[in-house]
Amino acid sequence: MTAIEVLAVASEIYPLIKTGGLADVAGALPGALRPHGVKVRTLVPGYPAVRRALKRPQPVHAWDDLFGGPAQLLEGMAARLSLFVLDAPHLFDRPGGPYADAQGRDWGDNAQRFAALARVGADLGQGLAGGYAPALVHAHDWQAGLACAYLHYGGHPRPATVMTVHNLAFQGQFDRRLLASLGLPPSSFSPDGVEYYGSIGYLKAGLRLADWITTVSPTYAAEICTPEGGMGLDGLLRGRADRLSGILNGVDLNVWNPAADPLIDTPFDAEHLDLRGLNKAALQTRFGLDPDPDALLLGLVSRLSWQKGVDLLLGALPVLLAEGAQLAVLGSGEANLEAGVAAAAAAHPGRVGCVFGYDEALAHGVQAGADALLVPSRFEPCGLTQLCALRYGAVPLVARVGGLGDTVIDASPMAIAAGAATGVQFSPVNTPMLESALRRTAGLYADRTAWRRIQANGMASDVSWRTPARLYADLFRSLIAEPAG
Ligand code: ADP
């Protein structure tokens, strides 16, 4: 097996900078692919947190003017990741989030920021860094989408390209008048190129022009080809269905290991599930919930957004409470949803608790202490929290959409009889169906032996990167072997 070099282009990477699952994947894939003979180096923006973490940076290239200011490309290691860092202070050295300011307003120059990232990704793919010649460029989400366009229109022999969609809802659409300033030829502004409903579509460009498209679960790969799930891109995706596949995400078992997790109160494993009770008690204390060891404690760790079905959960709250359950919400996001959760906590002290913000350690605490983890998403490309929940013996209660449907085995009578059940699913995704799933979960929880079986099945599920990494490696090899496109 000859080793292959892959350049990943990603706008976030765990543990340096993260707003969602994309960062987890970009952070975990390089390590997971290494045993398969795939060497991944990742190009990321030089946000302050990334610059700070980069060890012994070596300059690779410099620009006097890259989309409005001087920039340099650095290479080095950070958190055991082999990185190229685009150090462009006018684009990336600012407080706030990667895409928006502290008030949640998108940065006004996102078009230039992520065109710069993609442009440099494409240049690296074509030998910008001396002897480095990746055989494949792996673009993650809209922020990297234009890399496929720059390579396509570059007019040179190019590496193979893969566009991975982590969430089709984020598409990166910008004014057509920017075309020339982005360095794209006039001919690229066509339905077969970067044009998207009269604008420039960064994700669209990647989906149209990459050699292959992946998304993060087989079911989501099918859903995005339908008008209901395609978010305007289903026609294009149907046309490329023979070049589209779904590969599930895994979780990093070193980060998510309940038997040796420094972020939780009491480590435990499947043979010592009793110890979870201590984590449950700690969680109840942290969220101001009644210290009741028998109450069904439901957790939610999520961006608070329409996608995640938080409003559906608030609608189902009376049923949740009537079943005697407690609810612990960790999340941040839309103001009206935060207000709704806060109001529920105020109205039901001891039964509903919330912590707003992004708190990695507490996310581990919720997984380790909650009896069940809620994921009532309207759509979910893969979902990571249910994978962590399986690993931590928190029974996932999920909407049957996207990767949630692919990773959780519903506790139907047949699945229970077969000893296969790992969680609870509901469909269609609405409040009444969530209510009935909550009732079903409470019923299962009341039978402690059956519940333990479901927990143990979940903990035995393979949620690692092992299989997904093999699938990516096989895909990369097959594309590299194809004649240049
Ligand atoms: P998405 O990428 O759509 O937000 P995923 O389930 O794919 O959803 O990934 C979310 C990741 O972010 C998970 O690793 C989850 O644990 C984490 N996460 C979400 N919200 C929070 C939060 N408030 N605090 C800590 N971690 C969070």
Side-chain angles (χ1 to χ4, degrees):
M1 185 172 64
T2 50
I4 56 174
E5 292 267 6
V6 169
L7 174 71
V9 183
S11 59
E12 31 186 297
I13 190 161
Y14 179 87
L16 306 180
I17 175 98
K18 166 170 162 174
T19 70
L22 157 64
D24 292 306
V25 177
L29 255 186
L33 282 169
R34 209 172 296 130
H36 297 275
V38 180
K39 284 173 66 180
V40 181
R41 302 175 75 176
T42 310
L43 171 67
V44 291
Y47 307 118
V50 173
R51 282 292 285 111
R52 277 196 300 276
L54 192 65
K55 302 217 180 66
R56 290 186 289 284
Q58 300 294 320
V60 173
H61 193 85
W63 295 263
D64 294 333
D65 183 354
L66 183 71
F67 292 97
Q72 61 173 340
L73 182 65
L74 304 170
E75 83 182 299
M77 300 290 293
R80 290 195 283 174
L81 295 160
S82 178
L83 300 181
F84 289 106
V85 173
L86 178 54
D87 184 25
H90 63 296
L91 300 174
F92 301 120
D93 184 11
R94 51 183 80 166
Y99 317 121
D101 64 18
Q103 280 71 47
R105 286 179 302 246
D106 282 353
W107 297 115
D109 58 352
N110 275 346
Q112 290 75 19
R113 297 170 79 228
F114 295 105
L117 182 73
R119 171 80 263 174
V120 173
D123 289 349
L124 269 171
Q126 294 190 303
L128 177 75
Y132 178 63
L136 186 142
V137 172
H138 186 190
H140 291 275
D141 271 354
W142 73 263
Q143 296 89 345
L146 280 193
C148 304
Y150 287 127
L151 285 166
H152 178 84
Y153 294 109
H156 303 290
R158 62 167 181 83
T161 50
V162 172
M163 179 79 232
T164 291
V165 189
H166 297 269
N167 191 335
L168 202 65
F170 304 113
Q171 301 188 348
Q173 232 175 306
F174 300 101
D175 195 317
R176 61 184 295 173
R177 286 170 300 189
L178 294 174
L179 192 76
S181 69
L182 298 177
L184 290 163
S187 63
S188 70
F189 196 74
S190 85
D192 285 334
V194 306
E195 188 272 342
Y196 184 51
Y197 293 109
S199 305
I200 304 168
Y202 284 24
L203 178 63
K204 188 264 164 153
L207 297 176
R208 179 66 250 161
L209 300 169
D211 296 328
W212 195 273
I213 302 163
T214 73
T215 188
V216 289
S217 68
T219 294
Y220 193 59
E223 287 171 350
I224 60 178
C225 290
T226 67
E228 297 73 32
M231 301 195 166
L233 287 159
D234 48 293
L236 186 166
L237 291 164
R238 274 196 302 281
R240 301 209 66 200
D242 60 336
R243 301 243 119 200
L244 163 67
S245 56
I247 302 178
L248 282 171
N249 290 332
V251 295
D252 186 333
L253 300 190
N254 294 317
V255 177
W256 294 96
N257 177 6
D261 185 340
L263 300 176
I264 63 176
D265 249 57
T266 310
F268 62 96
D269 59 23
E271 275 70 56
H272 303 91
L273 276 173
D274 282 342
L275 292 174
R276 283 189 101 258
L278 299 171
N279 295 312
K280 178 171 178 176
L283 194 58
Q284 286 169 325
T285 304
R286 180 71 174 83
F287 280 79
L289 301 170
D290 297 335
D292 179 351
D294 294 323
L296 168 63
L297 174 51
L298 300 155
L300 179 87
V301 180
S302 183
R303 289 186 289 119
L304 301 179
S305 73
W306 181 85
Q307 176 196 340
K308 301 293 180 178
V310 183
D311 54 318
L312 305 177
L313 177 59
L314 291 173
L317 197 62
V319 169
L320 185 154
L321 294 169
E323 293 295 329
Q326 299 178 333
L327 176 64
V329 175
L330 168 62
S332 64
E334 292 168 16
N336 62 327
L337 294 174
E338 285 196 15
V341 172
H348 305 285
R351 303 289 304 282
V352 179
C354 54
V355 173
F356 297 124
Y358 192 90
D359 187 332
E360 196 81 31
L362 194 51
H364 286 240
V366 175
Q367 298 284 11
D371 296 302
L373 187 95
L374 294 161
V375 197
S377 303
R378 289 189 165 86
F379 68 94
E380 194 60 74
C382 177
L384 290 174
T385 54
Q386 86 283 5
L387 300 181
C388 303
L390 288 167
R391 182 110 178 99
Y392 276 60
V395 174
L397 189 174
V398 305
R400 189 187 302 130
V401 293
L404 300 174
D406 290 338
T407 55
V408 173
I409 301 173
D410 180 65
S412 66
M414 296 298 270
I416 291 175
T422 62
V424 173
Q425 297 185 337
F426 68 97
S427 171
V429 187
N430 57 35
T431 296
M433 293 310 282
L434 173 55
E435 289 170 344
S436 82
L438 285 166
R439 290 194 188 93
R440 198 149 65 87
T441 305
L444 290 165
Y445 179 71
D447 178 348
R448 293 304 156 91
T449 312
W451 187 260
R452 285 210 158 209
R453 187 74 198 272
I454 296 171
Q455 285 179 298
N457 289 344
M459 293 181 83
S461 308
D462 183 4
V463 297
S464 76
W465 274 103
R466 215 155 38 104
T467 302
R470 183 175 51 72
L471 296 173
Y472 274 108
D474 290 349
L475 173 65
F476 290 170
R477 283 212 160 75
S478 72
L479 293 172
I480 289 166
E482 282 185 355

